[in-house]
Each structure stands twice: as C-alpha cells, then as structure tokens.
Amino acid sequence: MSVDRKTVAKIASLARIKMDEEELDRMVPEFNNIIAFVEQLGEVDTSGVEPMTAVIPQALRLRDDVVDADPLTGGNVREKVLANAPLAEHGFFAVPKVIE
Amino acid sequence: MSSYRIHGTTGEWEVVIGLEVHAQVTSNAKLFSGASTEFGSEPNANVSLVDAAMPGMLPVPNRECIRQAVRTGMAIEAQINKWSRFDRKNYFYADLPQGYQISQLYHPLVGEGQLEISPDEKNPDQTKIIGIERIHVEQDAGKLMHDQHPTMSYVDLNRSGVALMEIVSRPDMRSPAEAGAYVRKLRSILRYVGSCDGNMEEGSMRADVNVSVRKPGGELGTRTETKNVNSVRFVMAAIEHEARRQVDVLEEGGTIVQETRLFDPGTGTTRSMRSKEEAHDYRYFPDPDLLPLELDDAFLEECRASLPELPDAKRKRYIEVLGLSAYNAGVLTAEVDTARWFEALLAETAAAQGKAEAHVAKQAANWLISEFFGALNKVGRSLEDSPVSHAQAAELLALIGKGTISATIGKQVLETMFETGDNAAAIVEREGLTQQSDSGAIEAAVDAVLAANGDKVEQYKAGKEALFGFFVGQTMKAMQGKANPQVVNEVLKAKLG
Amino acid sequence: MTELTNLGVRAIRDGVAAGDFTAREVAEAFNANVAAAADLNAFVIATPEKAIEAAEKVDADRAAGKPLGSMAGVPIGMKDLFATRGVQTTAASHILESFVPEYESTVSQKLWDAGAGMLGKLNMDQFAMGSSNETSYFSNVISPWRRNDGGNAPLAPGGSSGGSSAAVAARLCPAATGTDTGGSIRQPAAFTGITGIKPTYGRCSRWGIVAFASSLDQAGPMARDVTDCAIMLGAMAGFDPKDSTSLDLPVPDWAGSLDSDLRGKKVGIPREYRMDGMDAEIARSWDDGVAWLKDAGAEVVEISLPHTKYALPAYYIIAPAEASSNLARYDGVRYGLRDLPQGANLQDMYAATRAAGFGDEVKRRILIGTYVLSAGFYDAYYTQAMKVRTLIRNDFEKAFEECDVILAPTAPSAAFALGEKVDDPISMYLNDVFAVPASLAGLPAMSVPAGLSSAGLPLGLQIIGKAFDEQGVLNAGLAIEQRAGFTAQPEKWW
C-alpha cells in the first residue's frame, strides 16, 4: 500500500515534527520504501499466535508505597528537575501561553 | 419512577448519560515513582526525575495503588483481572512530560461491575442498577497555570504521575438526578474502601460527563464529553445544560459534533475546548517499559479480607439486626464517617448502659439524627469537627437511657455541652438536673396539680382523655422537668382512676 | 608509556593491583591517545580529568590496602547514551546537545563503583538509530581501519556504537560501553575487529540510558577480547529495582568460569542464515568458525529458524513504534533544545523544536513508528509484528532443544565505506539481518573477530545463546578467539 504525501504530512503533524515541502518530497518515497519492506510481514500466518508481551517471561514487580525511599526516584529535587529547563520561572517550567 | 424528559418543540427527548470518574488513589507515593502525592506543596517539589520524564527514566508501579484499585473493584462486585497491563496513550501537551500517559486500554485491571443507586432521596427503596464497564489505573497529568504571566503558561508537575482510577460507567443513566446519585454513591463506596478521599473540591475526584439525547426509545445520538466536572451539583448542571443545548441544536436542524467540552461553573454552561480540537489519535500500545501485571491469589485474598462492611450491607444490617428504620439506616450509612461515628457512639453507650447494642440502637440512632445533627446544624458544624466527641455523646445518651435525666433535660445538657465542652455528668451534677423518680415527691406534685385544676379533672373523668397530657405537662413544669415521665404517668393514672 | 595502551581490561587491572604501573599512568596514556585521535571523531567529549580522578582514587585505595574492584584502574569510554552526572549526555543529537544530567545511569555507576574511570563520552548514531555512525549530529566516526587497496576510503565503524568500536580498535580505550537494540554492539564490533556482547534482555539495567526501543535495548561491553568482555559485563550487570524489566538474578562469575572446552556441547548452524547471494568471504569465515568449534570439542548440528526472514521487517515496526513514543519527551519544555519561533504557540514550539533537534534518520523512524501505531493500522502492523516476534522466539526455543549455542555471521559484509549506503535506508537496515533475530528474542549474543577479508578488513562471528546463558556464549566465543588467532590491528594513520 502506498502512502501519499498528505498522509505523511499528517503523520508528521501527529508526531510534532515540522516538515517543509522539500523535506516532504524527500520523505514520501523513503517512507513508502520502508512501509513496503515491513509489509512482508503480511505473508506470515499468525492465526492463533499471541503477540509477545514480555521478551523474557517474568512477573512485574511492585514497589512499596514509600515516599523518597530512593533519592534517584523520589521527589524534593526541584533544583535537579529544573536544572536543564530552557525557561524556568518561580519554580515552574514556562511555555508559550496555552489557551484551553 | 417518572422519566426525566427534555421538552422540545418537536416533542420529548430522552437523555443518555455515562460517566467516567477519575478518582485519585489514596497512596503516599506516586503510581510509578517515589515522589509524594501530598496536596498543596511548592511547585515542582513533589516531582522526581521519573515524573519529569528525564531521559532514561523508567516506571516501577506502586503496589498500594494496584491494591486500592483492586479493592475498589471488589467493592463494586466487579471482575478482577489477574492479568492486566499498562498501555501508553500518546499525545503532546505541556502537562504531560513523557509525551504519553501510562494508562490501561486493552487489558484493564478491573472488569465489569455495578452500583445500586437511589436517585430519589425521599424514596430510598426505589433503586436502579448502573453498570460499570471497567476500572483502570493511570497517571494523572501536571497542571498548567495561565494567569501568572502575560505570554507564558507555567507548568507544575506535582500532580504528574499521581495514581488515578478511571471508573467508567455504562451509559445507563437517564437524568441529572441519577447521575448525581451515582456520583454520590460511588464517592461513598470509595470512602468506605479508603481508596480515594472523594474530595471533589480538591480535585481528587472529578467526572467526565458523556451526554447524548434521543427521542425516547430511539437510536443513540452523538455524544459530547464534558471534562473535569468537580462537584455533584456541577455534574447535574452540566447534564441539564448540555442536554438542552443538544436538543436545541437538533431541533434547529443542526447536528451534534462529537467533541470535548468544558463546564463553566460560573454560568452553568458548557463550551467547546479549543485546545483539544485536533484530531485524536492516541496510538495506544502496550508500555514496553512495563511487564504484564499478574496478581496472585494471596494478593487478591488480602484485598478481599481487608474490605470493610460496605454501605449497602451496613444499611441492611442496621435495619435487620439493629432494628433501625430504613430512613435512619440510609442516613447513617451514606457516609462512612457518619457510620463510624454512629458505631462508636453505639458501642460506648451500650457499654455504659450495660445493654446489648441492638437494645439501644434505635434510641441512639433517633437521638443522633434528630437531636445531635440538629445541634450540629445550629452551630454550622459537621461530625468531623464536632465540638462534642462520640464518647461524650455516649455518656449523655447513657444518662438518658438509664433515666438519670429525662430526654427533655438531655436537650438542655447537650446545648450546654456544645457551649462549654464539658461532660454531661458534670453538667447534670453542677446544675442539679438529675431526674426525680421518687414517687413520694412526684405524688405530692401530682396532688398539687390535680387540686389546682379541679375543673379539668372533672372534664377528664367525663371522658376528655386528651387532658392527660396536660396533667403530665403541668407536673413536669412543677418539677422543673426533672421528674421521671414514666413515674409521672403511673402516678397520674393511679390518681385519676 | 605507549605500551600501556596496548593492554586490555584484565592486564591493566592486574598490573595496577600488582603495582607494575599506577592507574594514573594508565589513565594518562589513554588520555593522550584520545587527545591525539581527533581525526577519528570517536568522542563527543573527552573527560581526561574524570579518568585521572578515578585513577587517583584507585591508586590511593591500593596504597591504603583497600580491596580493589573488578575494573580498578581501567579507564573506559562511555557511549553517549548513558546519563553521566555533570557531564553532557547528548545521544549524539542536537536536541540534547545542552543536556547535563543530574543523575548517573545504573550501569555507568556500577562501572565507577568497580573502579573504572571515564575517558569521555563516545560518539554514536543519533539516538542509537543507525548502523554506520552517519546519523550522529556531531559528524560521523571514522573507522581506524582502511582497506588494503591503498584507496584510503573512510570506512564506517559500524553502528550505533561506532564511537565505542572505533575507540577500542584504535587503542583509545581498553574497553567501552555499548548498547544493542538490533545489533548495535555486535555489528560495530565485527566491523572493527573487537569483541562485544549483548547480554540477555534485563541483565543490565536500562535506568539512565537514553531509550531507543525499550523492549530491545540492552547495554553490554565492547573490548579487545572475550575475557575482558566477561570481566566488564560482570561489573555492568545486576538487578536494579528502578527498572521493571531488570532480571532479579544473581550475576554469575562469568570471567572466573570461562572454559573453552566445548566437549559435550552442541552448536547449531541455522539453515536460514545461509542466504542466497551470501558474501563468499562471510560464508568462508562462518565455515572457519564451524571448524574451530568442532576442534574445541563441540558437536555441530544443523538447525532451523524458519521465521528469520521476517525478523528485520518485524524489527522495523517494533523499534520505530517504541521509539516514536520514547522520543516524545524531547519537546523543548524541560530540557534540551527549544525552538520557539516568533509568535509560536505550544504545539508550534514542539514541531519546530523537534524539526530542528532530530536528524533525518530519527525523524524517519519516528514517522514510521507513528504511522504503524496510528488508528486503523495498529493491528495490521504492530500487533502482527509482535505476533511474528513470538514466532521468532518460539523458533529459538525449539532450536535450543537441539543445541546449546548458535553460530552465525555477525554481519553480511565487512565494513563499508562511509556514504555508501547512507541514501538507501533499506540497504543500511539489511546490515543487521543476522543480529536482529537475537534482539527480538532477548537472547545473549556476542561477536568475536574471526579473521580478515581479502580487503584486509575484520570479519566477525556471532554466537547466540539461550536466555541467561551468557556463560555458554562467552565460552564458545573464547574457543573461537583461541583458534582464530586474530591479532590484526589497524595501522595508525590518524
């Protein structure tokens, strides 16, 4: 199945990647080559086959309900959380104004 | 049950309502990180590197959040799925650091259950079953602040990653009253179970309201979803407004757009949400950072064993075992805090009187609802912040039960207790309010009353038996209300023949 | 001092412990090699002070008679996908160019705890997406190897761990970390004549490693020989409660249990890997491997992995799908690049930031991943790929009923020239045709040097083992290493 330019543009928008006309021109055939390549999978009879859920079968472990038990995954690290922010003010991340 | 209908120019319309309630799970730490869930902290204080979605951060689920969701499922008699898993819901927004919300679409933790509601408070026996499709566990988003800067919005991730249960009803409700009753009942159960504090004003419970309209019995209409409605009253108002709006649109020849709307509590109206207008394609897929969640029997057994008596069962027991009226049982079981208070009062007063609970339950229930709630109302308080503890109340109730004071004096004592915070016995002692059961004193008082009202005695004897109450009243008055009414009755009966 | 840089992990560690030389001398020697090798572009950033600091601590500990770790005194290169506290971590992408983590990845922390030091952050394919290192924002790594045709065409060091492979091959470090999602340790190891192992999925914690495809990503060591890999893997592996997919198993003493005597072992040769038009040199090298393993006492059996053909297409659905979601967090809000055009709203900012920050290959994969997960296509692509993944794992399970390890080529060719495949994504993807099946099945797999091609370039052989059986893989690798006698080194031109 061939994917048209409009679809690629829509996917790019969904993925929040701005693309100009020239980039789209380049992307459409590449995109289609890859899609054609992966579509080989359609040949495989997978009736009765379960999709893989865990590559190495093991149970999901659950964590105890303890606050800041491990400083690496706990809170109260605002300085660290904001350290790399492109724009932070008054302890918040700042972004262009959003209208809801 | 009369049906709720919208009256349009083309006839009557039926409203079809489904609710998706988001309830914050009561836990210390977040769903996938160790940051605190505490409300009202400094911005971004309760945020871990995981919640901020720093590169390479990974989620590890909190057992307590899973446990609370399972217990909630059990409380609505739902199927608990021993095998579930987390999916990613992908979209871009500034309150969603990962660029996806970890949720459960394909295999939720809790399957189908149900809730019994009584939409008409005056008619508690008229009930309706509302189907619940599922409960799944997911991450809450952060918060955007729009009014602190002219051109910027501020992002606070404190709530980001807090565990939510999304409780999805079937579209089984047909009126704002049913939806209101559903939210109240659900909140009651969550509080009983202890899985959510149910504080809608703090945002720990909020509803997405799905509304459509149709001609009675017709095909389902297109629905709209009004997001994040945060009180029972607003849920009802949003439905009323949205149903009316849809009817108006349809009757003017328009069509309903499936869309996300916002409720404005100020105007009681809903409006389309501009920011969510874009086409939704959430690209759900199983979260590859997490394995399937498999629950063993021991875990489920612990969840079940730790469930408290739930409101419906409690109500039934109050009626059948304690002998309470259906109304009183309903009032006392509607909120877990009320039931707890009542049960503490009951245990303490029964012990104080050396009687079985069943023997004093009716008295305690009547007194609590009519006297105590009345007194609380007067001072604008609730049981939670009552100036009189249940131990103090039990003491007072025992004084009445044992006949130490009369019910009338009891009212007076309660008032003093509210004012001073003193214990009942101390007040009775200090103010000399002990009830007189000494038949000698009572006989003397009765004799005086009868002597002073010779004409009325004649009328009574001639058959005007309603005057008996007058003699009781006069005797009580003469004894400043302290006479034991039972003894007064007996003495009067004997003297009047 | 230059001879110190000819030593591997074990030799350095043992030499430091014995007092033959100091850790500081070792660090200085490698720092000098790193500084002199700018032409290879193997490092995104060098951190000589970190290497010295770690070395001094080891020397001090030794002087104080304290016990030394398994990597004590060994300076290493760190792939720039591992978060390193206080040192920029870019994933070779513009979007993370300014990012300095406030945390240390579990694996790198374990290495520092074992006494290793950091020479610098190694260049790589952007977000580990690529097989030639040409997708790096910081320009491609150039392999230290050259063809013997005198043409001096710059060659690809393999990818995505191309900085790691080039640096180890060029003696800029005795060992380096790599990550392998669909061959990113094994293929570059094969291209540069070094050894690298991807352990069983879950052996090494993924916490703090910039994610590409979560269900496939695994860290592993790249070093000069099997023993060095075994030592370093022992330091990297181990249960981490911060990673839900981490294996809660003890870490075996792989290095101490190395044994190249393969008597009683069966080696499977997968029929389906012998593809039409297979490079004759690759086929010959594979035959050599069979002979060596037989010589080591193993019995060789033919096995079948019937769904091999579908591994690569399944991989190119699953990996981009996961990546499209994993890379959604690079949005210019909390860290990294922000591109905010005049008057842009939030969503415009996302689109502009991601357009400016991601390279072409990353964009390509995000778009493919977004597409295969989108409404109406999810089942046909993603669910089907995950079913095929089940079939591929089942193939291996069945095969391992008949053998203990599997021998195959690592890559379908020797290193290619930079630029040769860059315009044809599919032909680039085909480079990982032998590597991807083990990734999809989560199995341990390694590449060991097996000889040189007629053009004088290294060829690698791949050993795939049962889940959790890194020991079996390492032992077979050692048997090959002992018989291949691979001693070739790139001639220094940089």
Side-chain angles (χ1 to χ4, degrees):
Chain A
M1 187 176 59
S2 176
V3 178
D4 61 16
R5 186 193 171 88
K6 202 176 130 218
T7 306
V8 175
K10 200 189 110 202
I11 292 295
S13 152
L14 198 54
R16 297 296 184 277
I17 296 175
K18 193 169 131 198
M19 284 205 163
D20 60 27
E21 297 302 309
E22 182 264 334
E23 276 177 296
L24 276 173
D25 286 341
R26 263 192 298 130
M27 187 60 79
V28 172
E30 288 172 1
F31 194 92
N32 275 303
N33 280 343
I34 297 167
I35 290 298
F37 175 68
V38 300
E39 278 182 348
Q40 292 177 64
L41 285 189
E43 299 165 11
V44 186
D45 178 6
T46 54
S47 44
V49 178
E50 285 296 316
M52 181 179 277
T53 51
V55 59
I56 301 295
Q58 53 169 337
L60 180 58
R61 284 182 314 276
L62 301 174
R63 182 170 47 82
D64 290 338
D65 184 28
V66 180
V67 173
D68 300 349
D70 180 341
L72 291 174
T73 56
N76 285 313
V77 289
R78 181 158 84 174
E79 303 305 309
K80 292 183 177 186
V81 161
L82 296 174
N84 280 282
L87 187 58
E89 293 182 2
H90 313 297
F92 296 97
F93 296 102
V95 297
K97 198 167 201 72
V98 177
I99 296 143
E100 278 183 313
Chain B
M1 205 182 305
S2 65
S3 304
Y4 177 85
R5 292 284 184 265
I6 305 271
H7 303 281
T9 54
T10 61
E12 297 202 324
W13 295 79
E14 182 181 36
V15 188
V16 177
I17 305 153
L19 293 176
E20 289 165 25
V21 172
H22 290 89
Q24 183 186 327
V25 178
T26 302
S27 66
N28 301 315
K30 292 184 179 180
L31 179 54
F32 293 114
S33 85
S36 168
T37 59
E38 202 183 330
F39 185 78
S41 303
E42 289 288 298
N44 291 309
N46 297 339
V47 179
S48 68
L49 299 167
V50 179
D51 307 312
M54 290 288 161
M57 294 298 96
L58 297 171
V60 179
N62 182 337
R63 181 184 297 104
E64 180 64 9
C65 300
I66 305 301
R67 180 178 167 272
Q68 291 291 25
V70 167
R71 293 173 74 246
T72 305
M74 288 171 167
I76 56 158
E77 297 159 47
Q79 176 203 329
I80 307 300
N81 295 322
K82 291 173 78 172
W83 194 98
S84 68
R85 64 173 314 178
F86 290 100
D87 302 303
R88 290 184 183 177
K89 177 183 184 178
N90 295 284
Y91 64 96
F92 287 90
Y93 205 55
D95 63 5
L96 190 73
Q98 295 163 139
Y100 54 85
Q101 176 195 36
I102 306 179
S103 179
Q104 298 188 297
L105 175 73
Y106 297 110
H107 299 281
L109 183 57
V110 179
E112 286 198 55
Q114 60 178 47
L115 210 61
E116 192 182 64
I117 60 165
S118 318
D120 182 359
E121 280 177 75
K122 291 183 205 106
N123 205 346
D125 291 330
Q126 204 166 64
T127 59
K128 178 172 177 177
I129 300 288
I130 306 299
I132 290 177
E133 192 179 301
R134 59 192 281 155
I135 301 178
H136 65 254
V137 179
E138 63 184 22
Q139 297 175 300
D140 201 352
K143 217 177 155 187
L144 291 186
M145 246 90 32
H146 304 300
D147 44 14
Q148 321 228 338
H149 189 284
T151 60
M152 291 281 169
S153 290
Y154 284 161
V155 186
D156 176 10
L157 299 178
N158 278 347
R159 292 191 68 83
S160 168
V162 167
L164 300 177
M165 291 179 279
E166 180 168 332
I167 304 161
V168 183
S169 85
R170 297 243 169 240
D172 286 351
M173 287 158 276
R174 295 289 178 272
S175 69
E178 288 183 10
Y182 172 84
V183 175
R184 278 195 304 271
K185 184 61 175 282
L186 187 59
R187 184 176 59 188
S188 163
I189 287 180
L190 294 173
R191 285 173 169 168
Y192 265 82
V193 170
S195 57
C196 170
D197 66 22
N199 290 338
M200 297 187 84
E201 56 288 348
E202 278 182 13
S204 51
M205 188 174 157
R206 52 200 195 255
D208 295 346
V209 184
N210 290 300
V211 175
S212 65
V213 296
R214 64 177 175 188
K215 292 288 178 154
E219 292 279 301
L220 277 179
T222 303
R223 64 185 170 82
T224 62
E225 182 180 20
T226 304
K227 285 268 185 205
N228 286 334
V229 186
N230 67 349
S231 85
V232 175
R233 196 158 57 82
F234 294 161
V235 166
M236 295 169 70
I239 294 167
E240 265 175 51
H241 174 269
E242 183 56 19
R244 183 77 242 180
R245 187 191 70 85
Q246 290 186 14
V247 167
D248 290 347
V249 168
L250 291 170
E251 292 193 329
E252 280 161 24
T255 50
I256 301 303
V257 186
Q258 184 162 349
E259 62 175 354
T260 304
R261 299 181 68 84
L262 206 62
F263 178 71
D264 181 346
T267 59
T269 59
T270 68
R271 66 175 167 85
S272 189
M273 263 178 101
R274 288 167 57 186
S275 60
K276 305 262 176 172
E277 259 171 21
E278 265 189 79
H280 295 255
D281 190 341
Y282 291 128
R283 290 158 284 136
Y284 279 99
F285 77 111
D287 190 328
D289 284 331
L290 294 161
L291 300 157
L293 174 59
E294 295 173 71
L295 303 178
D296 60 26
D297 291 333
F299 183 86
L300 296 182
E301 198 35 60
E302 188 283 324
C303 288
R304 197 173 294 284
S306 68
L307 277 185
E309 185 183 34
L310 295 167
D312 289 347
K314 201 180 270 299
R315 185 168 166 271
K316 197 158 170 259
R317 178 169 67 84
Y318 282 10
I319 295 170
E320 290 173 2
V321 179
L322 298 182
L324 304 194
S325 69
Y327 175 81
N328 279 3
V331 170
L332 294 177
T333 55
E335 288 293 338
V336 68
D337 288 342
T338 314
R340 282 207 194 108
W341 216 95
F342 170 66
E343 286 177 17
L345 172 74
L346 183 58
E348 282 156 4
T349 194
Q353 298 179 59
K355 288 182 180 168
E357 286 188 4
H359 281 134
V360 292
K362 257 175 121 162
Q363 178 213 11
N366 282 330
W367 180 82
L368 181 63
I369 290 170
S370 56
E371 304 294 337
F372 199 81
F373 285 179
L376 278 174
N377 247 341
K378 235 190 236 170
V379 294
R381 300 265 193 124
S382 66
L383 278 180
E384 258 171 65
D385 55 359
S386 165
V388 174
S389 72
H390 43 72
Q392 286 178 303
E395 187 196 13
L396 171 59
L397 205 48
L399 290 175
I400 299 170
K402 284 193 287 195
T404 311
I405 57 171
S406 68
T408 319
I409 293 295
K411 276 187 205 194
Q412 189 186 320
V413 174
L414 184 59
E415 235 169 76
T416 314
M417 288 168 77
F418 266 78
E419 282 161 18
T420 63
D422 293 342
N423 285 344
I427 295 168
V428 168
E429 165 89 41
R430 187 171 69 219
E431 302 189 2
L433 299 175
T434 307
Q435 174 168 270
Q436 301 225 11
S437 301
D438 167 28
S439 49
I442 292 173
E443 265 180 50
V446 167
D447 286 342
V449 167
L450 295 184
N453 295 285
D455 52 338
K456 294 220 167 55
V457 174
E458 287 307 312
Q459 287 170 23
Y460 178 83
K461 284 189 175 164
K464 202 168 176 187
E465 289 184 7
L467 281 167
F468 190 80
F470 168 78
F471 300 126
V472 173
Q474 289 299 306
T475 311
M476 293 302 278
K477 197 174 162 193
M479 297 189 72
Q480 293 104 46
K482 285 184 279 185
N484 182 330
Q486 219 175 318
V487 181
V488 172
N489 277 347
E490 280 163 19
V491 171
L492 268 171
K493 266 185 193 153
K495 300 244 176 210
L496 289 166
Chain C
M1 275 325 218
T2 49
E3 75 274 16
L4 283 179
T5 59
N6 272 324
L7 301 178
V9 171
R10 184 179 55 178
I12 292 170
R13 177 193 68 185
D14 292 351
V16 167
D20 298 343
F21 38 79
T22 65
R24 191 186 165 102
E25 286 166 342
V26 175
E28 282 172 347
F30 279 105
N31 278 341
N33 274 12
V34 170
D39 287 350
L40 297 179
N41 199 31
F43 284 85
V44 173
I45 183 178
T47 56
E49 70 294 344
K50 291 267 172 197
I52 297 293
E53 188 189 321
E56 284 179 340
K57 174 154 193 314
V58 168
D59 288 335
D61 283 352
R62 184 179 173 277
K66 289 186 188 163
L68 299 179
S70 65
M71 295 285 292
V74 182
I76 58 169
M78 185 61 62
K79 187 177 182 181
D80 204 18
L81 204 60
F82 293 79
T84 43
R85 187 172 49 243
V87 178
Q88 67 170 63
T89 298
T90 67
S93 180
H94 183 37
I95 210 160
L96 277 178
E97 193 175 358
S98 66
F99 180 62
V100 180
E102 295 280 329
Y103 51 97
E104 188 76 32
S105 82
T106 299
V107 163
S108 54
Q109 186 63 53
K110 277 173 172 285
L111 285 164
W112 313 145
D113 290 347
M118 182 163 74
L119 291 160
K121 301 297 290 289
L122 291 159
N123 203 349
M124 51 180 280
D125 276 301
Q126 190 167 149
F127 282 101
M129 298 176 189
S131 305
S132 65
N133 241 270
E134 288 162 288
T135 72
S136 168
Y137 176 72
F138 304 106
S139 183
N140 49 269
V141 177
I142 297 171
S143 174
W145 290 87
R146 286 177 167 180
R147 288 183 183 129
N148 57 11
D149 59 5
N152 294 340
L155 301 181
S160 65
S161 310
S164 307
S165 64
V168 173
R171 306 304 193 250
L172 311 186
C173 52
T177 55
T179 63
D180 190 316
T181 304
S184 283
I185 287 175
R186 292 162 284 161
Q187 183 255 21
F191 275 21
T192 55
I194 66 164
T195 307
I197 179 167
K198 174 195 96 71
T200 309
Y201 180 81
R203 272 287 187 203
C204 291
S205 170
R206 292 184 297 115
W207 196 88
I209 302 176
V210 175
F212 164 15
S214 307
S215 75
L216 295 153
D217 295 346
Q218 258 302 290
M222 299 170 77
R224 243 164 270 160
D225 62 28
V226 171
T227 304
D228 286 0
C229 278
I231 293 169
M232 186 160 157
L233 181 60
M236 294 167 72
F239 174 61
D240 182 2
K242 299 190 295 303
D243 175 357
S244 292
T245 60
S246 172
L247 290 171
D248 192 0
L249 293 174
V251 178
D253 179 10
W254 290 306
S257 309
L258 281 174
D259 180 1
S260 60
D261 181 352
L262 301 185
R263 280 174 299 178
K265 299 289 180 193
K266 287 185 182 174
V267 176
I269 306 299
R271 192 184 306 144
E272 292 79 5
Y273 281 46
R274 206 169 283 277
M275 293 170 172
D276 289 344
M278 185 177 216
D279 183 312
E281 291 191 311
I282 296 293
R284 201 195 59 230
S285 148
W286 195 4
D287 292 340
D288 288 345
V290 170
W292 292 328
L293 291 177
K294 276 184 183 164
D295 183 59
E299 184 189 336
V300 172
V301 295
E302 191 182 61
I303 55 158
S304 174
L305 298 167
H307 295 92
T308 297
K309 180 187 168 194
Y310 300 105
L312 210 50
Y315 176 85
Y316 275 97
I317 289 173
I318 295 164
E322 293 184 12
S324 72
S325 178
N326 280 337
L327 271 61
R329 63 190 56 197
Y330 305 105
D331 59 7
V333 174
R334 296 165 315 286
Y335 46 78
L337 183 73
R338 167 181 288 193
D339 188 351
L340 181 57
Q342 189 68 34
N345 67 24
L346 178 69
Q347 301 293 344
D348 296 340
M349 181 186 93
Y350 290 156
T353 297
R354 293 161 62 78
F358 291 138
D360 284 348
E361 181 63 18
V362 175
K363 289 179 188 174
R364 201 151 39 223
R365 297 205 196 186
I366 289 176
L367 292 199
I368 293 290
T370 303
Y371 180 71
V372 298
L373 290 177
S374 65
F377 297 105
Y378 173 75
D379 280 329
Y381 291 111
Y382 187 79
T383 308
Q384 175 73 356
M386 287 307 255
K387 287 179 176 175
V388 170
R389 193 173 179 186
T390 299
L391 291 172
I392 287 165
R393 183 178 61 190
N394 294 350
D395 283 356
F396 276 109
E397 271 175 18
K398 225 172 133 221
F400 280 125
E401 288 169 8
E402 295 161 43
C403 64
D404 299 291
V405 291
I406 292 168
L407 179 72
T410 306
S413 71
F416 47 86
L418 289 165
E420 199 174 295
K421 293 175 192 279
V422 74
D423 293 328
D424 182 357
I426 302 284
S427 100
M428 186 71 88
Y429 297 172
L430 285 168
N431 242 280
D432 290 318
V433 65
F434 299 130
V436 155
S439 295
L440 289 173
L443 302 173
M446 87 183 298
S447 180
V448 286
L452 293 178
S453 71
S454 55
L457 297 181
L459 299 173
L461 279 172
Q462 180 182 208
I463 301 131
I464 303 168
K466 299 173 183 174
F468 318 118
D469 187 25
E470 285 81 3
Q471 193 71 61
V473 171
L474 291 161
N475 287 349
L478 185 61
I480 289 175
E481 180 180 284
Q482 288 169 348
R483 287 162 183 80
F486 185 89
T487 53
Q489 279 190 45
E491 211 169 297
K492 188 168 183 305
W493 54 263
W494 54 91

